[in-house]
Amino acid sequence: MSHRVLVVDDDPTVSDVVRRYLEQDGCRVRLVADGLAALAAVDAERPDLVVLDLMLGGLDGIEVCRRLQRDQPGLPVVMLTALGEESDRVLGLEVGADDYVTKPFSPRELTLRVRSVLRRTSPVAPPRPALLRDGDLVADTGRRTAELGGRVLALTVREFDLLEFLLKHPARAFSRAELLDKVWGWQFGDQSTVTVHVRRLREKIEADPAAPTRLVTVWGVGYRWEPSADA
C-alpha cells in the first residue's frame, strides 16, 4: 500500500522536486504552500507523514509542528531547514519533529529519510507482542506504544525508538554518536539531535526531568538507562 505524504513548502520548485522523487518511491503526495492549509489537509486527509518546511510565511513551520503534535500525536514529521540554522533545527526537534534535512538537500537523501521514518511506523506484517518493562514503565514494541503508571505516553517516532533501544540495553552507557548510529541509523549527523530527544523523553518519563533517575547522564560519555529497583 502506498503511503500518503503531505509536503508543506512555499517554494514551488522545491515542492515539485520533492513530489517527483517521493512519487517515484511509491508515495502518494499532496502539496500545500502554507501552514493553515497544512493543518486543514492533515485534518481532512490524515496523511502517513508530513514533510514540513520551517520557513513558511504566516503560520511558520515551528507552530505547525507544535499544533500537529498537540492535535495529531504520533504523526511523523520530517522538517526542512536552512543550512546552518541550528537554532531552528533544534527548536523543530523540541516541538516534535522526527527527522530533518537541511537545504540545499539531495532529494534522494530526503526520500531515504522519509522511507526510514515510515518503515518504523508502518510494519508490513502484524506485529508480535513484545513488552519491555521497567517498574511502572511498559513499552509495547509491536504496537509501538508506551505507558507510565497506566497512562499512555504521547511519544514521537524517534522518542519511542530511543526508549525502546535504551530499555533493551539497560545499565550500559552510550555516547551521543553511538545513539545517533544505533537509533537514527546515521554515521554522521548533528549530535544535538540526540540531546534534544533525550530532553524530550525525560520530560515524559521522569518524575523530575531536571534530576533524572532513569535516563541518566554519564559525564564525559553520554547517557545510560538506569533500571528500576522494581524491574
Side-chain angles (χ1 to χ4, degrees):
M1 187 177 80
S2 62
H3 292 101
R4 297 164 299 171
V5 178
L6 176 67
V7 176
V8 188
D9 198 305
D10 56 8
D11 185 329
T13 301
V14 172
S15 293
D16 187 60
V17 170
V18 171
R19 177 188 58 77
R20 285 190 287 111
Y21 270 80
L22 290 176
E23 287 181 344
Q24 288 172 10
D25 202 49
C27 296
R28 289 180 290 162
V29 180
R30 165 82 182 275
L31 304 180
V32 298
D34 63 76
L36 291 177
L39 295 175
V42 168
D43 187 56
E45 301 179 18
R46 302 299 174 93
D48 300 304
L49 181 143
V50 177
V51 175
L52 175 64
D53 182 23
L54 293 193
M55 301 299 290
L56 297 171
L59 193 67
D60 65 23
I62 294 294
E63 182 58 27
V64 171
C65 190
R66 182 179 287 113
R67 294 190 189 186
L68 289 178
Q69 289 306 312
R70 181 193 67 195
D71 300 334
Q72 304 287 341
L75 174 64
V77 175
V78 175
M79 61 183 179
L80 306 178
T81 68
L83 182 63
E85 295 297 329
E86 181 179 359
S87 59
D88 287 341
R89 184 164 63 250
V90 169
L91 183 55
L93 292 170
E94 286 181 335
V95 298
D98 295 285
D99 212 338
Y100 71 88
V101 177
T102 55
K103 292 182 177 181
F105 59 85
S106 159
R108 187 58 184 162
E109 178 190 3
L110 174 60
T111 301
L112 291 173
R113 294 286 180 89
V114 167
R115 185 190 301 171
S116 173
V117 174
L118 286 171
R119 185 168 57 245
R120 292 173 181 271
T121 57
S122 306
V124 296
R128 292 178 295 176
L131 300 181
L132 300 173
R133 297 181 181 274
D134 186 86
D136 60 348
L137 177 64
V138 180
D140 185 328
T141 62
R143 297 171 57 207
R144 292 184 60 85
T145 59
E147 295 183 2
L148 179 63
R151 176 176 57 87
V152 176
L153 301 175
L155 301 180
T156 67
V157 174
R158 295 300 189 190
E159 287 168 3
F160 185 88
D161 292 341
L162 178 60
L163 176 63
E164 178 184 359
F165 179 80
L166 291 170
L167 285 173
K168 287 181 175 179
H169 301 86
R172 177 180 168 185
F174 292 94
S175 68
R176 292 193 300 170
E178 287 176 316
L179 291 173
L180 201 63
D181 179 25
K182 300 296 186 181
V183 178
W184 279 260
W186 304 354
Q187 281 70 49
F188 304 96
D190 185 353
Q191 294 183 13
S192 66
T193 298
V194 177
T195 306
V196 171
H197 280 79
V198 166
R199 183 188 310 141
R200 285 180 52 83
L201 189 55
R202 282 173 170 168
E203 291 172 352
K204 298 176 181 181
I205 65 172
E206 298 282 2
D208 181 1
T213 59
R214 285 180 144 143
L215 209 178
V216 301
T217 298
V218 181
W219 297 107
V221 179
Y223 304 102
R224 181 183 71 242
W225 185 268
E226 194 67 36
S228 169
D230 299 326

